[in-house]
Amino acid sequence: MKREIDVLVIGGGVVGVCAAYYLGLQGRRVTLVEKGEICAGSSYGNAGLVVPSHSVPLAAPGVAMKALGWMLDPESPFYIEPRFDGALWRWLWRFWRSGSERHVRRALPLLRDLHLASRALFAELTRLEGMACAYEERGALYAFRTREGLEAGVREGQRLQEAGLQARVLDRAQVSQLEGMEVRAEGGVYYPQDAHLVPDRFVRGMGQQLETQGAEVLPHTEVLGMARQGGRVGLVRTTRGDFAPREVVLAAGSWSPLLAGQLGLSLPIQPAKGYSITFKRPAPCLAVPLLLGEAKVGVTPMGEWLRFAGTLELAGLNLSINRRRVEAILRAVPAYLPQIDPSAMELVEIWRGLRPATPDGLPFLGRVPGCENLTIAAGHATIGLSLGPITGKLVSQVVCGSPEFDLSLLRVGRF
Ligand SMILES: Cc1cc2nc3c(=O)[nH]c(=O)nc-3n(C[C@H](O)[C@H](O)[C@H](O)COP(=O)(O)OP(=O)(O)OC[C@H]3O[C@@H](n4cnc5c(N)ncnc54)[C@H](O)[C@@H]3O)c2cc1C
């Protein structure tokens, strides 16, 4: 027997819960299924940064070359586990091709507008009752130890400034002054419009908001299969029975290609593993989140914690923890922050998550051609927390009417 329902949202990460919330506000009756607990995936232990400063897409000129230089070093910020996997090599080829100046020129204004709109929604959502997730609008500082790194950081800051975002170049003394502690850097770029929060508290808080709205939230419910009937998804099989939804929203992060594949759709998303290491907040501590420019490590003071996050590893759907890479993140810290010694701090958790990465650094967001009741919202890579609320709002607009932004750059069939 299949149960007829209105909207089925697959995935209880930041994208799924925000989509379900805004669909509820549009008056839709939502069922959300999540194979683990709410916030079991990449949304759990990330760096918690809301980042208009990340409006240049990951696929930008020079990035693929730099990554190539890093990929053979197992301790570098970027690593590819050597293996024969056709989908991975096709993805890398597309990543290489996407990193053009033209792509950045087209994508940057859209990413800027989406990040800023999302930030405004964070300010609203985190004021809802029960949303205690330590949301702070303090900006973020990118610090660089080398002249070369600083010059590249300043160039990026200028580019974002020309696009209308706020960016302030700081000298060595100003960097330490802003953080309220010694930072060993040539200088930095401060982005006052960035913000941060404790990501799992935000996502679980949104899960609670769904219950308050009257949505049906089903954790520990895995989608096992989906089948087409004519030009639509007719059946979704789960560990809690079969559903016949009027609308389906696929928001399963790095697992989305597995489910889309059952409908004959190819979604080029590669899981890009990253790690975070969370400690009890030491004293003294940073005043604002700090990104260690050359090491590509984010350091976020969040609530009662201090979290270090970094590395990007293309190793498939593999959740193992590579201690060498965790240690490489921590080893990078004292060179920038001599007053912070991770080996003397109280460890809370070591975590890994899979960023869902597309070849052009833009998510998939929209309806699927030839499958009229399916909307995909996946592939947010390094910016999924930041874009979570606006993605959710746009999903509700795609399902119920027309979106407030032109989403053609994010269309599902673009590869
Ligand atoms: C180390 C690290 C640091 C990061 N820092 C930041 C940051 O500072 N700012 C930022 O914006 N982004 C950051 N990110 C990226 C961000 O975490 C992701 O882009 C975002 O969490 C993606 O959200 P999602 O909802 O698409 O996926 P997920 O959070 O992975 O959610 C997908 C959910 O779908 C569920 N699911 C999968 N298959 C099924 C199935 N068959 N049935 C039911 N449920 C299923 C999974 O269990 C999972 O809970 C970081 C990521 C990492 C790894």
Side-chain angles (χ1 to χ4, degrees):
M1 260 264 294
K2 33 181 199 182
R3 229 183 97 198
E4 301 209 342
I5 56 171
D6 184 18
V7 187
L8 179 70
V9 175
I10 304 171
V14 67
V15 173
V17 295
C18 290
Y21 177 78
Y22 285 105
L23 283 160
L25 286 191
Q26 298 261 12
R28 303 301 296 248
R29 279 170 297 111
V30 178
T31 301
L32 181 143
V33 290
E34 160 56 53
K35 68 177 177 174
E37 295 286 344
I38 293 297
C39 202
S42 174
S43 303
Y44 175 83
N46 62 53
L49 299 168
V50 178
V51 274
S53 62
H54 276 39
S55 292
V56 174
L58 205 56
V63 174
M65 276 311 281
K66 199 162 184 183
L68 205 64
W70 273 332
M71 68 182 259
L72 299 173
D73 174 0
E75 291 195 9
S76 71
F78 177 71
Y79 177 63
I80 301 181
E81 190 182 77
R83 65 192 193 278
F84 183 76
D85 172 349
L88 170 66
W89 291 105
R90 269 194 303 281
W91 187 98
L92 287 169
W93 169 242
R94 286 168 167 156
F95 179 63
W96 180 280
R97 297 267 321 259
S98 299
S100 69
E101 186 51 38
R102 179 168 169 266
H103 175 59
V104 175
R105 264 202 312 275
R106 292 167 72 203
L108 195 157
L110 176 65
L111 287 176
R112 171 201 62 203
D113 292 349
L114 294 177
H115 281 295
L116 291 176
S118 215
R119 181 183 186 270
L121 296 176
F122 270 113
E124 275 173 36
L125 295 172
T126 53
R127 277 199 294 267
L128 296 173
E129 208 183 318
M131 294 292 292
C133 49
Y135 177 66
E136 293 187 74
E137 294 184 345
R138 284 171 170 260
L141 173 62
Y142 291 54
F144 301 92
R145 280 179 53 74
T146 61
R147 190 117 295 277
E148 194 192 3
L150 180 61
E151 281 166 10
V154 169
R155 275 197 301 278
E156 179 139 322
Q158 279 163 349
R159 170 151 221 172
L160 291 167
Q161 233 174 9
E162 282 158 20
L165 288 164
Q166 294 169 29
R168 210 177 301 146
V169 177
L170 304 184
D171 64 23
R172 187 189 295 251
Q174 289 167 322
V175 163
S176 294
Q177 197 182 8
L178 179 66
E179 289 295 4
M181 70 190 315
E182 185 183 354
V183 182
R184 285 198 186 135
E186 283 285 319
V189 184
Y190 175 57
Y191 293 95
Q193 289 159 303
D194 284 8
H196 67 283
L197 42 58
V198 184
D200 64 299
R201 290 188 197 154
F202 174 76
V203 177
R204 288 178 181 156
M206 290 303 293
Q208 294 292 322
Q209 300 297 327
L210 296 181
E211 311 240 7
T212 311
Q213 263 185 350
E216 183 180 29
V217 180
L218 301 175
H220 303 291
T221 307
E222 181 169 359
V223 172
L224 301 172
M226 296 204 274
R228 280 181 191 255
Q229 263 166 18
R232 48 190 290 116
V233 181
L235 175 82
V236 179
R237 263 188 322 113
T238 81
T239 48
R240 290 219 210 174
D242 295 348
F243 293 96
R246 195 168 294 159
E247 293 282 347
V248 179
V249 176
L250 178 56
S254 291
W255 295 268
S256 302
L258 293 180
L259 296 173
Q262 297 177 356
L263 300 168
L265 296 168
S266 157
L267 272 189
I269 291 178
Q270 281 293 320
K273 186 160 41 175
Y275 298 93
S276 71
I277 309 110
T278 305
F279 294 93
K280 287 225 169 115
R281 194 182 183 117
C285 193
L286 299 170
V288 303
L290 181 70
L291 288 104
L292 313 182
E294 294 82 2
K296 307 277 177 225
V297 169
V299 191
T300 316
M302 48 170 77
E304 68 277 23
W305 298 333
L306 182 65
R307 177 169 293 169
F308 302 89
T311 84
L312 199 151
E313 183 180 329
L314 296 177
L317 282 171
N318 166 356
L319 282 163
S320 64
I321 290 184
N322 180 336
R323 293 298 297 212
R324 208 167 152 191
R325 298 187 65 73
V326 170
E327 279 151 25
I329 293 175
L330 295 179
R331 253 202 315 278
V333 175
Y336 293 80
L337 294 166
Q339 287 171 277
I340 297 225
D341 175 8
S343 68
M345 282 157 44
E346 196 176 330
L347 179 68
V348 175
E349 187 172 16
I350 297 174
W351 172 86
R352 77 284 177 252
L354 301 175
R355 307 173 184 92
T358 61
D360 60 1
L362 300 176
F364 293 113
L365 177 44
R367 289 220 179 257
V368 175
C371 199
E372 65 187 36
N373 65 340
L374 177 62
T375 300
I376 292 184
H380 292 69
T382 57
I383 51 177
L385 172 75
S386 190
L387 296 186
I390 190 62
T391 301
K393 191 171 185 200
L394 287 166
V395 164
S396 75
Q397 293 170 351
V398 167
V399 171
C400 304
S402 57
E404 65 192 87
F405 288 99
D406 174 2
L407 299 180
S408 47
L409 283 179
L410 314 186
R411 72 189 180 283
V412 175
R414 66 183 183 270
F415 291 104

